[in-house]
Amino acid sequence: MTTPADELITLTIPGSAHFSESLSEHILTRHRQQLPDLRHVHVFFPNTMAVQQFRYQLASNTAHYGAVIGGFVGSLSQWLEQQDNTGDTGQTRISASARQLLLIEALKQHPELFAEENHWQVCDSLLNLFDELCLCPYPWLDKDLPEWLKQLQQAYQADDELPLLNQEARIVHTLWQAWQTQLASMELTDTSSLHRQRLLSPISKAVSSCVFYIVGYEQLSPLEQAWCQQLASVATVMTVQQGQPPGSGPVVGDADRMQHILDQIFQHQPDFYQRCQQLRQAHGPFPLDHIQLFDAMSAEQEAQAVDLYIRQQLLAGKRNIAVVTENRKLARRLRALLERASVSIQDTAGWSLATTSAAACVERWLECIEQDFSHLPLLDLLKSPFFCSEDERDSHLQQVYRFEQDIVLHENIANDLSRYRRAIAYRSARLSRSDPQLVDALNKQLDRIEQASAQIRQHYLGDCSIETSQWLNSLMASLESLGILDQFTNDIAGQRINHELAQLQQACLHGDPVVNWQDFRTWLGSMLEREQFKPHSQTAAVKIMNLKQAQYCRFDSLIIAGANAAVFPGKASALPFFNQSVRSALKLRFWHQDKDYQCYQFQQLLLAADQLLITWQSEQNGEWLAASPWVQSIQNIAEQGFNLRLHNQELLALIPHSTVTRHQAELL
């Protein structure tokens, strides 16, 4: 039986070690007397991919025991949800879209704070700030304005009251209190508030015999870290870190040789040539020679290089290949190239629902409403696979082709359903060889579109502000009249669109502010951009993920794509509330902290595979694009310190031949 240590115990796994394997071996060694019963062991991970690898490794290491009864493996929030003993509080959890409507209503109740046209600009920023404040253990959050002013003055390190500080504190305090009051009065809660309630609930004594392993403790919010400290007084809690996260103690001795190497490469002390000399003396050849670099002349060349490299690795027998990128446009292009080569892919990051063809169909319909059925969005809508059933598609596309050629191009009609009809009648009367059935079919299509758009066009042309639910119901009625919602049921992305539209209807039950057309479009568009779409959940040899999802994982081969300075590390975004230094003083996430941690994650990825390719786009529209400074550090040390070029020249030579072969195959 393990007794509580009343404090957190830190377990450090070297960055060069297989994280899941090392952690599973540690757990099995420490708890070997309880095997095969590990129900008392709970392991928290911050990302799903690491959970999958750890479970697989634990099962592999305990295969000789037969069936092993395991404990919990997942995220902290998932564990708290399973352990939730708060009972039925009568509160309803609301979606992100409902939160936006409620906050817009709150902003409308305080017109003195912001101009109405700025409401949507600050809505998401405020919600993100509220989520962060909700996970801070500050008692002054529920206090009056003078206490807020006192705390913010300390954060700003201001001895005297500052007008701008007072104004900022008043705005945030007013809206925070209004937000909390509105949720309480309507018996609603959101994900962050519910998570806070669970963290503040008493910890059950039943977990006193359990052992908790918390991976990525440094990523937790202040309130979550305080909960872990409290848990340590009841049960045994070990924080597990990989290498040397920012803020942790220095590496002692030669406990992690590769961490020392990374420090010498990425740190600025001592000077560059001293670090090169120290590396040569201590390690001889370049210690990161498993890394290859590729600077592409265009986004397409970068995607082709990654595609070719992946297929090379597959031919070499690699079955655990990861592409880590924050560039979703590059990921989509890469996915298209790999699927064309019949390579199965697991896109763990997914992409925005707004980028799917189903969302594009909705967008084109909205553009038709706004642009008086301009020929560009109208033709895109008519050509959409969701506009007609599959058995009618061939004849329908033939009708659309004749409409485009005869009416739009030859008659030069750019918009307006009435003008389209007159042009059809005029051309039919002028040309004796016209097909009466085609003319009738085109007129029926235009009548169908006009009838479907009647209600929503009336609202739009009236330039009026109405309840959000009215805009939404009008949109859904028009899509249903066109048969688009029915066609969505036959498509994975379309099913998601239907589901999310139904969720928006539910959101309007909690808050239904009066908005204009542009506000409705903003609200609808934010949902499509926020919701992620993952078409396939099955495992595959090739996985596409972002930096956070790849942390604590091990791969046979790894590609870090899109490694430009604009992404790694990027730059601080302008925040409407609390500058970076104030966020630091309040223990909120701030950019320099995020940058340092992203650099740490990047460094650990360099050790996550035996073969590693880093790619970036070096030119765009004739302008030079900078590579990530972290990549430049590796390149400079290798070239200046070891006279070694890491660039993959083979890919550069093979890409033109690969492209020709691909085009020839498409022609066949």
Side-chain angles (χ1 to χ4, degrees):
M1 183 71 66
T2 305
T3 58
D6 292 326
E7 60 182 11
L8 300 176
I9 306 168
T10 300
L11 170 64
T12 300
I13 295 176
S16 56
H18 191 306
F19 187 86
S20 295
E21 182 178 333
S22 299
L23 180 57
S24 63
E25 288 178 352
H26 174 88
I27 291 175
L28 293 176
T29 301
R30 178 171 179 173
H31 304 281
R32 59 182 177 273
Q33 294 182 351
Q34 289 85 29
L35 286 172
D37 187 356
L38 294 179
R39 284 177 295 180
H40 64 291
V41 176
H42 303 272
V43 187
F44 298 160
F45 278 96
N47 57 319
T48 304
M49 187 59 63
V51 169
Q52 295 175 359
Q53 287 203 3
F54 174 76
R55 284 175 173 166
Y56 175 81
Q57 197 63 49
L58 189 64
S60 299
N61 291 348
T62 57
H64 57 281
Y65 285 98
V68 174
I69 306 174
F72 174 87
V73 181
S75 68
L76 170 60
S77 59
Q78 289 172 338
W79 186 87
L80 287 171
E81 187 173 1
Q82 287 187 9
Q83 306 295 318
D84 192 357
N85 56 1
T86 56
D88 185 8
T89 60
Q91 294 178 317
T92 302
R93 190 193 307 194
I94 57 174
S95 65
S97 297
R99 295 200 326 153
Q100 289 178 315
L101 293 183
L102 285 173
L103 186 55
I104 288 294
E105 277 194 332
L107 290 173
K108 289 181 179 292
Q109 293 172 9
H110 298 278
E112 74 280 3
L113 298 181
F114 299 102
E116 185 173 357
E117 59 269 18
N118 296 331
H119 284 175
W120 285 102
Q121 297 177 10
V122 300
C123 180
D124 289 338
S125 295
L126 275 171
L127 287 174
N128 290 334
L129 177 60
F130 290 169
D131 286 342
E132 290 185 277
L133 291 176
C134 201
L135 296 179
C136 288
Y138 300 140
W140 53 269
L141 290 176
D142 297 323
K143 303 294 183 181
D144 294 333
L145 181 59
E147 186 62 27
W148 278 64
L149 287 173
K150 176 183 176 182
Q151 297 298 328
L152 289 180
Q153 281 178 353
Q154 294 176 1
Y156 273 101
Q157 299 180 355
D159 296 330
D160 301 325
E161 292 188 5
L162 302 176
L164 290 178
L165 184 151
N166 290 347
Q167 181 182 6
E168 184 176 49
R170 182 173 63 86
I171 290 174
V172 177
H173 174 266
T174 300
L175 293 174
W176 168 261
Q177 296 289 355
W179 174 248
Q180 298 298 324
T181 301
Q182 192 168 20
L183 289 180
S185 63
M186 300 178 67
E187 295 186 340
L188 301 175
T189 187
D190 56 9
T191 301
S192 296
S193 299
L194 186 58
H195 188 47
R196 176 185 176 88
Q197 293 174 18
R198 290 167 177 164
L199 289 169
L200 294 177
S201 299
I203 297 176
S204 172
K205 297 295 183 181
V207 302
S208 59
S209 60
C210 298
V211 180
F212 293 84
Y213 294 86
I214 301 176
V215 179
Y217 173 80
E218 68 279 354
Q219 300 183 45
L220 299 179
S221 68
L223 188 60
E224 289 172 330
Q225 291 184 353
W227 180 86
C228 292
Q229 296 281 353
Q230 183 183 0
L231 179 65
S233 64
V234 179
T236 301
V237 180
M238 297 189 68
T239 63
V240 187
Q241 65 182 32
Q242 183 180 34
Q244 186 183 1
S248 63
V251 177
V252 179
D254 294 327
D256 192 345
R257 169 179 170 272
M258 293 306 299
Q259 185 64 57
H260 285 290
I261 293 172
L262 293 175
D263 290 344
Q264 289 175 303
I265 291 176
F266 288 95
Q267 292 180 2
H268 300 293
Q269 298 294 334
D271 63 53
F272 178 78
Y273 291 103
Q274 269 189 284
R275 285 184 283 133
C276 289
Q277 187 177 13
Q278 290 174 359
L279 279 169
R280 285 196 302 268
Q281 291 175 351
H283 308 289
F286 184 60
L288 297 179
D289 58 357
H290 67 292
I291 297 176
Q292 294 180 317
L293 307 177
F294 186 87
D295 54 331
M297 299 300 293
S298 66
E300 180 64 19
Q301 189 185 51
E302 183 178 10
Q304 291 173 356
V306 177
D307 164 50
L308 184 58
Y309 184 80
I310 288 173
R311 287 188 282 144
Q312 286 179 331
Q313 297 301 303
L314 289 171
L315 290 173
K318 306 295 185 182
R319 289 297 177 265
N320 185 17
I321 304 171
V323 180
V324 176
T325 182
E326 301 290 335
N327 187 335
R328 295 309 304 165
K329 184 177 180 180
L330 173 62
R332 289 197 300 272
R333 179 56 182 154
L334 175 61
R335 183 185 184 89
L337 292 175
L338 290 171
E339 287 182 338
R340 191 161 59 185
S342 299
V343 176
S344 59
I345 307 145
Q346 180 184 0
D347 193 338
T348 58
W351 58 83
S352 170
L353 195 58
T355 63
T356 63
S357 59
C361 180
V362 176
E363 178 64 23
R364 295 300 170 268
W365 176 241
L366 294 173
E367 289 174 356
C368 284
I369 302 300
E370 295 171 330
Q371 301 173 24
D372 194 17
F373 301 97
S374 172
H375 67 285
L376 293 176
L378 179 59
L379 287 172
D380 284 346
L381 176 71
L382 293 173
K383 294 175 184 178
S384 170
F386 305 104
F387 193 79
C388 67
S389 60
E390 185 65 30
D391 55 347
E392 300 174 347
R393 182 149 182 79
D394 290 340
S395 60
H396 170 75
L397 289 180
Q398 183 62 31
Q399 295 169 11
V400 174
Y401 175 78
R402 297 278 20 122
F403 174 74
E404 182 177 9
Q405 296 296 316
D406 299 343
I407 307 304
V408 174
L409 296 179
H410 286 90
E411 300 297 331
N412 196 26
I413 306 300
N415 64 339
D416 189 348
L417 295 179
S418 298
R419 294 183 64 202
Y420 291 138
R421 288 196 188 91
R422 288 196 297 270
I424 292 172
Y426 172 75
R427 189 172 182 84
S428 175
R430 184 161 54 89
L431 299 178
S432 59
R433 292 178 297 175
S434 60
D435 184 355
Q437 292 183 344
L438 176 62
V439 172
D440 185 56
L442 290 178
N443 281 318
K444 284 183 178 179
Q445 286 286 16
L446 296 179
D447 291 342
R448 175 186 170 203
I449 290 172
E450 186 173 41
Q451 292 171 6
S453 64
Q455 185 181 41
I456 192 169
R457 282 271 293 171
Q458 181 182 2
H459 292 322
Y460 172 74
L461 294 175
D463 194 23
C464 58
S465 295
I466 58 177
E467 285 82 3
T468 309
S469 59
Q470 286 186 261
W471 286 118
L472 182 61
N473 291 336
S474 297
L475 171 61
M476 294 186 66
S478 66
L479 293 173
E480 185 174 8
S481 178
L482 291 172
I484 292 176
L485 294 185
D486 287 337
Q487 292 301 316
F488 278 172
T489 60
N490 302 320
D491 179 77
I492 301 175
Q495 293 170 9
R496 278 292 308 278
I497 295 287
N498 281 344
H499 173 75
E500 295 303 331
L501 289 175
Q503 290 296 106
L504 292 185
Q505 287 184 313
Q506 289 295 318
C508 292
L509 298 178
H510 304 299
D512 198 9
V514 174
V515 297
N516 57 29
W517 170 260
Q518 193 56 49
D519 286 341
F520 170 70
R521 289 278 267 129
T522 301
W523 181 60
L524 178 66
S526 67
M527 177 275 291
L528 294 174
E529 288 291 341
R530 178 179 61 249
E531 297 301 325
Q532 294 296 300
F533 172 65
K534 299 178 183 179
H536 304 293
S537 58
Q538 79 273 11
T539 58
V542 181
K543 302 172 181 63
I544 302 177
M545 61 190 71
N546 59 37
L547 191 62
K548 182 177 180 180
Q549 291 170 321
Q551 192 175 10
Y552 307 115
C553 295
R554 184 79 181 183
F555 309 99
D556 296 337
S557 184
L558 175 64
I559 303 101
I560 302 177
N564 286 95
V567 178
F568 298 122
K571 60 181 180 179
S573 57
L575 299 173
F577 305 103
F578 302 156
N579 60 37
Q580 298 293 334
S581 61
V582 172
R583 293 180 66 85
S584 174
L586 293 176
K587 291 184 170 47
L588 302 176
R589 301 293 299 185
F590 60 101
W591 185 73
H592 290 288
Q593 180 185 14
D594 290 338
K595 182 193 70 172
D596 291 343
Y597 197 79
Q598 189 183 47
C599 182
Y600 154 74
Q601 291 175 312
F602 182 87
Q603 292 179 34
Q604 299 308 312
L605 272 188
L606 300 179
L607 310 176
D610 294 331
Q611 288 183 290
L612 177 66
L613 175 69
I614 303 176
T615 70
W616 68 95
Q617 184 181 347
S618 60
E619 185 178 331
Q620 184 178 30
N621 299 327
E623 295 185 3
W624 176 73
L625 297 179
S628 166
W630 307 331
V631 177
Q632 292 177 1
S633 295
I634 300 171
Q635 183 174 326
N636 292 339
I637 288 284
E639 292 182 359
Q640 304 299 324
F642 293 85
N643 195 27
L644 176 65
R645 281 188 59 81
L646 300 177
H647 288 268
N648 189 319
Q649 298 298 325
E650 181 185 9
L651 287 177
L652 189 62
L654 289 176
I655 285 175
H657 303 288
S658 174
T659 305
V660 171
T661 303
R662 186 182 295 116
H663 289 168
Q664 290 174 342
E666 289 174 353
L667 291 175
L668 295 175

